[in-house]
Amino acid sequence: MKSYRKELWFEIPKRRGFVNITQTLEQCVRESGIKEGLLLCNAMHITASVFINDDESGLHHDFEVWLEKLAPEKPYSQYKHNGFEDNADAHLKRTIMGREVVVAITNGKLDLGPWEQIFYGEFDGMRKKRVLVKIIGE
Amino acid sequence: MKSYRKELWFEIPKRRGFVNITQTLEQCVRESGIKEGLLLCNAMHITASVFINDDESGLHHDFEVWLEKLAPEKPYSQYKHNGFEDNADAHLKRTIMGREVVVAITNGKLDLGPWEQIFYGEFDGMRKKRVLVKIIGE
Amino acid sequence: MKSYRKELWFEIPKRRGFVNITQTLEQCVRESGIKEGLLLCNAMHITASVFINDDESGLHHDFEVWLEKLAPEKPYSQYKHNGFEDNADAHLKRTIMGREVVVAITNGKLDLGPWEQIFYGEFDGMRKKRVLVKIIGE
């Protein structure tokens, strides 16, 4: 069994934003030399997400509006977590979107459906944050 | 290390519906010959889900009502994604329900709790869609 | 390839509660002898969750309030599942929080970000319930 590990770094210039990381992860699979296995990709921070959905700007706008409806950023005082911080909503939004994805690797490639794209989702940006890529297989 | 891959096909005759795929996945585990490992099962489409919950029709009705409350289908015009499509709500509903499950395989069987059943969740049906099954182990 | 399996038992004295299981899972990794691989940790019950977030009591209070807003426990009669049971809300809350986490193992340790802590989330307690830990790797 082979294993591979890499950290990806992000610094999103706004509080919230999505970055398509599919090509970066394809490159990780190539670097790993693994032909059959599983890839785990997870946010290493608890106010960020890795998720799979469509790379379509209208949908990304809909996600922003929807997450603000389900877990509004303001007023900050509505959350007990916001004593010294203001990011409680980011913890909740990331819970909806998910921490991680697990993707099959087949014939040395990410085994994705036709519209599946992998995103880093930032909900408390303007700081450096990491994503972990771990691949096991042969 | 062994690996196994299979695609399952679905064509749900309504916009939304759940299908219990637990027995199909047990059959995949038998076909794989893998005794100890991990099974990944994920929707290959971004308006569908694979999730684990109870096979109880009242609960499935509750999921339908609840998802419609959290991410209503209509009016279609409330979503920017719905320029040429009408399925933005399906992307949001699938986000709540999740893309994938990872299940342990022990002694050649799915290692599930007493009430755990695995479902395909369709949120934009009336078309052919695929689910990926990938198993690795020994 | 090595594999490891363990069940963890919980009996939460209230309907809802979170338990930090990070140190228990670190112990599982040590027991497994696996240095590089993947750890799956999942609730074996469909009204409980395993999730990763911050170990901060204000945030845990915020989760309780937020989950009650998104999927209220009462009135019990709002859910069809509640014919012989009263826990439909617990099935929905666990859906939001997630069934499972997959964590990388690197150099014989859980490969977590600085604030990542792993929790058992109970939404229908006052009874014995199990969590499955499965590790594969080398």
Side-chain angles (χ1 to χ4, degrees):
Chain A
M1 199 201 78
K2 285 184 191 174
S3 71
Y4 170 94
R5 180 191 192 273
K6 189 166 199 172
E7 293 182 3
L8 311 178
W9 286 83
F10 298 90
E11 187 168 1
I12 307 296
K14 296 181 297 173
R15 185 171 172 109
R16 289 189 286 275
F18 297 158
V19 179
N20 189 328
I21 60 173
T22 315
Q23 291 310 310
T24 305
L25 296 182
E26 284 284 14
Q27 178 61 28
C28 291
V29 176
R30 283 192 294 271
E31 285 174 19
S32 76
I34 291 171
K35 301 299 181 192
E36 298 293 325
L38 294 177
L39 175 145
L40 167 69
C41 183
N42 67 267
M44 299 185 77
H45 298 260
I46 51 194
T47 52
S49 173
V50 174
F51 67 94
I52 288 180
N53 219 301
D54 198 356
D55 197 352
E56 196 279 303
S57 63
L59 182 67
H60 293 192
H61 173 89
D62 295 333
F63 269 122
E64 163 67 19
V65 171
W66 182 63
L67 291 169
E68 265 294 285
K69 190 179 75 173
L70 294 184
E73 178 185 338
K74 299 174 185 175
Y76 295 126
S77 61
Q78 74 190 293
Y79 302 112
K80 288 218 175 180
H81 181 62
N82 286 343
F84 299 93
E85 303 196 76
D86 68 3
N87 65 2
D89 71 298
H91 291 267
L92 305 182
K93 288 179 170 100
R94 112 73 179 258
T95 299
I96 295 278
M97 298 304 285
R99 167 189 179 257
E100 80 217 8
V101 298
V102 178
V103 179
I105 296 171
T106 302
N107 292 327
K109 294 191 173 176
L110 294 171
D111 198 340
L112 295 171
W115 299 100
E116 287 195 296
Q117 295 287 303
I118 310 172
F119 291 89
Y120 174 68
E122 177 63 80
F123 303 106
D124 186 31
M126 296 177 283
R127 66 197 71 194
K128 286 193 176 180
K129 287 163 112 172
R130 283 178 293 159
V131 160
L132 180 64
V133 184
K134 185 89 181 189
I135 309 175
I136 69 168
E138 273 187 356
Chain B
M1 200 200 78
K2 286 184 191 175
S3 71
Y4 170 93
R5 180 190 192 274
K6 189 165 198 172
E7 292 182 3
L8 311 178
W9 286 84
F10 298 90
E11 186 168 2
I12 307 296
K14 296 181 297 173
R15 186 172 172 108
R16 289 189 287 275
F18 297 157
V19 179
N20 189 329
I21 60 173
T22 314
Q23 291 311 311
T24 305
L25 297 182
E26 284 284 14
Q27 178 61 27
C28 291
V29 175
R30 283 191 294 271
E31 285 174 18
S32 75
I34 291 171
K35 300 299 183 193
E36 299 292 326
L38 294 178
L39 175 145
L40 167 70
C41 183
N42 66 267
M44 299 185 78
H45 297 261
I46 51 193
T47 52
S49 174
V50 175
F51 67 94
I52 289 179
N53 220 301
D54 199 356
D55 197 353
E56 196 279 302
S57 64
L59 182 67
H60 292 191
H61 173 89
D62 295 333
F63 269 122
E64 163 66 21
V65 171
W66 182 62
L67 291 169
E68 264 295 284
K69 189 178 74 174
L70 293 185
E73 178 186 337
K74 300 174 184 174
Y76 295 127
S77 62
Q78 74 190 293
Y79 301 112
K80 289 218 174 180
H81 181 62
N82 287 344
F84 298 93
E85 304 197 75
D86 67 4
N87 65 3
D89 71 298
H91 291 267
L92 305 182
K93 288 179 170 98
R94 112 74 178 257
T95 299
I96 295 279
M97 298 304 287
R99 166 189 180 258
E100 80 216 8
V101 298
V102 178
V103 179
I105 296 171
T106 301
N107 293 326
K109 294 192 173 177
L110 294 172
D111 199 339
L112 295 172
W115 299 99
E116 287 195 297
Q117 295 287 305
I118 309 172
F119 292 90
Y120 174 68
E122 177 62 80
F123 303 106
D124 185 32
M126 295 176 282
R127 66 198 73 194
K128 286 194 176 180
K129 289 163 110 171
R130 283 179 294 160
V131 160
L132 181 64
V133 184
K134 185 91 182 187
I135 309 174
I136 69 169
E138 272 187 359
Chain C
M1 200 200 77
K2 286 184 192 175
S3 70
Y4 170 94
R5 180 191 193 273
K6 188 166 198 171
E7 292 182 5
L8 311 178
W9 286 84
F10 298 90
E11 187 167 3
I12 306 296
K14 295 180 299 173
R15 186 172 172 107
R16 289 189 286 275
F18 297 159
V19 179
N20 189 329
I21 59 174
T22 315
Q23 291 310 310
T24 304
L25 296 182
E26 284 285 14
Q27 178 61 27
C28 292
V29 176
R30 282 191 295 271
E31 286 173 18
S32 75
I34 291 171
K35 300 300 182 192
E36 300 292 324
L38 294 177
L39 175 145
L40 167 69
C41 183
N42 65 268
M44 298 185 78
H45 298 260
I46 52 194
T47 52
S49 173
V50 174
F51 67 95
I52 289 180
N53 219 301
D54 199 355
D55 196 352
E56 198 278 303
S57 63
L59 182 67
H60 293 190
H61 173 89
D62 295 334
F63 270 121
E64 163 66 20
V65 171
W66 182 63
L67 291 168
E68 264 294 286
K69 190 178 73 174
L70 293 184
E73 177 186 338
K74 299 173 184 174
Y76 295 127
S77 61
Q78 75 190 293
Y79 301 112
K80 289 218 174 181
H81 180 61
N82 287 344
F84 299 94
E85 304 198 76
D86 67 4
N87 66 1
D89 71 296
H91 291 267
L92 305 182
K93 287 179 170 99
R94 110 73 178 258
T95 300
I96 295 279
M97 298 303 287
R99 167 188 180 260
E100 79 217 9
V101 298
V102 179
V103 179
I105 295 171
T106 302
N107 293 325
K109 294 192 173 177
L110 294 171
D111 199 339
L112 295 171
W115 299 99
E116 286 194 297
Q117 295 286 305
I118 308 172
F119 291 90
Y120 174 68
E122 177 62 80
F123 303 107
D124 186 30
M126 297 176 283
R127 66 199 72 193
K128 287 194 174 182
K129 287 163 111 172
R130 284 178 294 159
V131 160
L132 180 65
V133 184
K134 186 91 182 188
I135 309 174
I136 68 169
E138 273 188 357

PDB file of all heavy atoms in Angstrom, chain C residues 110-125:
ATOM      1  N   LEU C 110      -3.431  10.794  14.438  1.00  0.00           N
ATOM      2  CA  LEU C 110      -4.514  11.478  13.739  1.00  0.00           C
ATOM      3  C   LEU C 110      -3.962  12.767  13.141  1.00  0.00           C
ATOM      4  O   LEU C 110      -3.340  13.563  13.856  1.00  0.00           O
ATOM      5  CB  LEU C 110      -5.646  11.821  14.716  1.00  0.00           C
ATOM      6  CG  LEU C 110      -6.404  10.652  15.332  1.00  0.00           C
ATOM      7  CD1 LEU C 110      -7.342  11.168  16.427  1.00  0.00           C
ATOM      8  CD2 LEU C 110      -7.204   9.897  14.278  1.00  0.00           C
ATOM      9  N   ASP C 111      -4.200  12.977  11.860  1.00  0.00           N
ATOM     10  CA  ASP C 111      -3.632  14.131  11.161  1.00  0.00           C
ATOM     11  C   ASP C 111      -4.674  15.258  11.146  1.00  0.00           C
ATOM     12  O   ASP C 111      -5.335  15.505  10.138  1.00  0.00           O
ATOM     13  CB  ASP C 111      -3.254  13.696   9.739  1.00  0.00           C
ATOM     14  CG  ASP C 111      -2.267  14.644   9.089  1.00  0.00           C
ATOM     15  OD1 ASP C 111      -2.177  15.808   9.523  1.00  0.00           O
ATOM     16  OD2 ASP C 111      -1.602  14.210   8.125  1.00  0.00           O
ATOM     17  N   LEU C 112      -4.793  15.935  12.286  1.00  0.00           N
ATOM     18  CA  LEU C 112      -5.832  16.949  12.485  1.00  0.00           C
ATOM     19  C   LEU C 112      -5.243  18.354  12.429  1.00  0.00           C
ATOM     20  O   LEU C 112      -4.077  18.559  12.798  1.00  0.00           O
ATOM     21  CB  LEU C 112      -6.503  16.755  13.847  1.00  0.00           C
ATOM     22  CG  LEU C 112      -7.291  15.464  14.054  1.00  0.00           C
ATOM     23  CD1 LEU C 112      -7.709  15.317  15.514  1.00  0.00           C
ATOM     24  CD2 LEU C 112      -8.526  15.432  13.150  1.00  0.00           C
ATOM     25  N   GLY C 113      -6.059  19.324  12.017  1.00  0.00           N
ATOM     26  CA  GLY C 113      -5.682  20.724  12.105  1.00  0.00           C
ATOM     27  C   GLY C 113      -5.647  21.183  13.564  1.00  0.00           C
ATOM     28  O   GLY C 113      -6.075  20.453  14.470  1.00  0.00           O
ATOM     29  N   PRO C 114      -5.159  22.408  13.799  1.00  0.00           N
ATOM     30  CA  PRO C 114      -4.880  22.858  15.176  1.00  0.00           C
ATOM     31  C   PRO C 114      -6.092  22.884  16.099  1.00  0.00           C
ATOM     32  O   PRO C 114      -5.950  22.668  17.299  1.00  0.00           O
ATOM     33  CB  PRO C 114      -4.295  24.264  14.978  1.00  0.00           C
ATOM     34  CG  PRO C 114      -4.660  24.669  13.588  1.00  0.00           C
ATOM     35  CD  PRO C 114      -4.761  23.409  12.795  1.00  0.00           C
ATOM     36  N   TRP C 115      -7.281  23.148  15.568  1.00  0.00           N
ATOM     37  CA  TRP C 115      -8.460  23.244  16.415  1.00  0.00           C
ATOM     38  C   TRP C 115      -9.441  22.102  16.197  1.00  0.00           C
ATOM     39  O   TRP C 115     -10.523  22.098  16.783  1.00  0.00           O
ATOM     40  CB  TRP C 115      -9.190  24.578  16.163  1.00  0.00           C
ATOM     41  CG  TRP C 115      -8.344  25.743  16.483  1.00  0.00           C
ATOM     42  CD1 TRP C 115      -7.639  26.504  15.602  1.00  0.00           C
ATOM     43  CD2 TRP C 115      -8.074  26.279  17.781  1.00  0.00           C
ATOM     44  NE1 TRP C 115      -6.941  27.466  16.265  1.00  0.00           N
ATOM     45  CE2 TRP C 115      -7.191  27.368  17.609  1.00  0.00           C
ATOM     46  CE3 TRP C 115      -8.481  25.940  19.085  1.00  0.00           C
ATOM     47  CZ2 TRP C 115      -6.720  28.122  18.676  1.00  0.00           C
ATOM     48  CZ3 TRP C 115      -8.020  26.695  20.151  1.00  0.00           C
ATOM     49  CH2 TRP C 115      -7.144  27.762  19.949  1.00  0.00           C
ATOM     50  N   GLU C 116      -9.092  21.170  15.348  1.00  0.00           N
ATOM     51  CA  GLU C 116     -10.025  20.072  15.046  1.00  0.00           C
ATOM     52  C   GLU C 116     -10.120  19.110  16.229  1.00  0.00           C
ATOM     53  O   GLU C 116      -9.113  18.511  16.621  1.00  0.00           O
ATOM     54  CB  GLU C 116      -9.575  19.299  13.807  1.00  0.00           C
ATOM     55  CG  GLU C 116      -9.797  20.031  12.499  1.00  0.00           C
ATOM     56  CD  GLU C 116      -9.667  19.099  11.312  1.00  0.00           C
ATOM     57  OE1 GLU C 116      -8.564  18.546  11.099  1.00  0.00           O
ATOM     58  OE2 GLU C 116     -10.654  18.904  10.601  1.00  0.00           O
ATOM     59  N   GLN C 117     -11.330  18.925  16.731  1.00  0.00           N
ATOM     60  CA  GLN C 117     -11.608  17.935  17.768  1.00  0.00           C
ATOM     61  C   GLN C 117     -12.798  17.096  17.291  1.00  0.00           C
ATOM     62  O   GLN C 117     -13.714  17.615  16.636  1.00  0.00           O
ATOM     63  CB  GLN C 117     -11.939  18.626  19.092  1.00  0.00           C
ATOM     64  CG  GLN C 117     -10.770  19.417  19.674  1.00  0.00           C
ATOM     65  CD  GLN C 117      -9.685  18.519  20.272  1.00  0.00           C
ATOM     66  OE1 GLN C 117      -9.972  17.691  21.135  1.00  0.00           O
ATOM     67  NE2 GLN C 117      -8.459  18.647  19.785  1.00  0.00           N
ATOM     68  N   ILE C 118     -12.778  15.818  17.636  1.00  0.00           N
ATOM     69  CA  ILE C 118     -13.788  14.882  17.139  1.00  0.00           C
ATOM     70  C   ILE C 118     -14.804  14.615  18.255  1.00  0.00           C
ATOM     71  O   ILE C 118     -14.420  14.324  19.392  1.00  0.00           O
ATOM     72  CB  ILE C 118     -13.127  13.563  16.692  1.00  0.00           C
ATOM     73  CG1 ILE C 118     -11.975  13.863  15.713  1.00  0.00           C
ATOM     74  CG2 ILE C 118     -14.163  12.636  16.046  1.00  0.00           C
ATOM     75  CD1 ILE C 118     -11.126  12.644  15.361  1.00  0.00           C
ATOM     76  N   PHE C 119     -16.082  14.727  17.904  1.00  0.00           N
ATOM     77  CA  PHE C 119     -17.144  14.594  18.898  1.00  0.00           C
ATOM     78  C   PHE C 119     -18.137  13.489  18.526  1.00  0.00           C
ATOM     79  O   PHE C 119     -18.462  13.291  17.348  1.00  0.00           O
ATOM     80  CB  PHE C 119     -17.946  15.898  19.011  1.00  0.00           C
ATOM     81  CG  PHE C 119     -17.146  16.998  19.618  1.00  0.00           C
ATOM     82  CD1 PHE C 119     -16.393  17.845  18.820  1.00  0.00           C
ATOM     83  CD2 PHE C 119     -17.110  17.177  20.990  1.00  0.00           C
ATOM     84  CE1 PHE C 119     -15.623  18.852  19.383  1.00  0.00           C
ATOM     85  CE2 PHE C 119     -16.348  18.180  21.563  1.00  0.00           C
ATOM     86  CZ  PHE C 119     -15.598  19.024  20.754  1.00  0.00           C
ATOM     87  N   TYR C 120     -18.649  12.842  19.573  1.00  0.00           N
ATOM     88  CA  TYR C 120     -19.875  12.073  19.474  1.00  0.00           C
ATOM     89  C   TYR C 120     -21.020  13.030  19.769  1.00  0.00           C
ATOM     90  O   TYR C 120     -21.000  13.729  20.788  1.00  0.00           O
ATOM     91  CB  TYR C 120     -19.870  10.927  20.491  1.00  0.00           C
ATOM     92  CG  TYR C 120     -21.176  10.168  20.546  1.00  0.00           C
ATOM     93  CD1 TYR C 120     -21.592   9.396  19.480  1.00  0.00           C
ATOM     94  CD2 TYR C 120     -21.996  10.242  21.672  1.00  0.00           C
ATOM     95  CE1 TYR C 120     -22.789   8.703  19.523  1.00  0.00           C
ATOM     96  CE2 TYR C 120     -23.195   9.543  21.727  1.00  0.00           C
ATOM     97  CZ  TYR C 120     -23.590   8.783  20.642  1.00  0.00           C
ATOM     98  OH  TYR C 120     -24.777   8.103  20.683  1.00  0.00           O
ATOM     99  N   GLY C 121     -21.991  13.074  18.889  1.00  0.00           N
ATOM    100  CA  GLY C 121     -23.161  13.933  19.075  1.00  0.00           C
ATOM    101  C   GLY C 121     -24.400  13.081  19.287  1.00  0.00           C
ATOM    102  O   GLY C 121     -24.776  12.303  18.402  1.00  0.00           O
ATOM    103  N   GLU C 122     -25.012  13.228  20.429  1.00  0.00           N
ATOM    104  CA  GLU C 122     -26.210  12.452  20.771  1.00  0.00           C
ATOM    105  C   GLU C 122     -27.444  13.348  20.631  1.00  0.00           C
ATOM    106  O   GLU C 122     -27.457  14.485  21.110  1.00  0.00           O
ATOM    107  CB  GLU C 122     -26.082  11.954  22.216  1.00  0.00           C
ATOM    108  CG  GLU C 122     -27.277  11.195  22.743  1.00  0.00           C
ATOM    109  CD  GLU C 122     -27.553   9.919  21.950  1.00  0.00           C
ATOM    110  OE1 GLU C 122     -26.861   8.905  22.200  1.00  0.00           O
ATOM    111  OE2 GLU C 122     -28.441   9.958  21.080  1.00  0.00           O
ATOM    112  N   PHE C 123     -28.475  12.829  19.955  1.00  0.00           N
ATOM    113  CA  PHE C 123     -29.717  13.598  19.780  1.00  0.00           C
ATOM    114  C   PHE C 123     -30.941  12.858  20.292  1.00  0.00           C
ATOM    115  O   PHE C 123     -32.056  13.368  20.198  1.00  0.00           O
ATOM    116  CB  PHE C 123     -29.876  13.986  18.302  1.00  0.00           C
ATOM    117  CG  PHE C 123     -28.695  14.758  17.804  1.00  0.00           C
ATOM    118  CD1 PHE C 123     -27.766  14.192  16.947  1.00  0.00           C
ATOM    119  CD2 PHE C 123     -28.465  16.044  18.271  1.00  0.00           C
ATOM    120  CE1 PHE C 123     -26.638  14.895  16.535  1.00  0.00           C
ATOM    121  CE2 PHE C 123     -27.345  16.759  17.867  1.00  0.00           C
ATOM    122  CZ  PHE C 123     -26.430  16.179  16.997  1.00  0.00           C
ATOM    123  N   ASP C 124     -30.737  11.645  20.828  1.00  0.00           N
ATOM    124  CA  ASP C 124     -31.839  10.871  21.410  1.00  0.00           C
ATOM    125  C   ASP C 124     -31.248   9.928  22.462  1.00  0.00           C
ATOM    126  O   ASP C 124     -31.193   8.713  22.273  1.00  0.00           O
ATOM    127  CB  ASP C 124     -32.559  10.086  20.308  1.00  0.00           C
ATOM    128  CG  ASP C 124     -33.802   9.373  20.836  1.00  0.00           C
ATOM    129  OD1 ASP C 124     -34.425   9.878  21.794  1.00  0.00           O
ATOM    130  OD2 ASP C 124     -34.140   8.303  20.287  1.00  0.00           O
ATOM    131  N   GLY C 125     -30.802  10.521  23.539  1.00  0.00           N
ATOM    132  CA  GLY C 125     -29.988   9.817  24.521  1.00  0.00           C
ATOM    133  C   GLY C 125     -30.792   9.053  25.556  1.00  0.00           C
ATOM    134  O   GLY C 125     -31.911   8.633  25.317  1.00  0.00           O
TER     135      GLY C 125
END
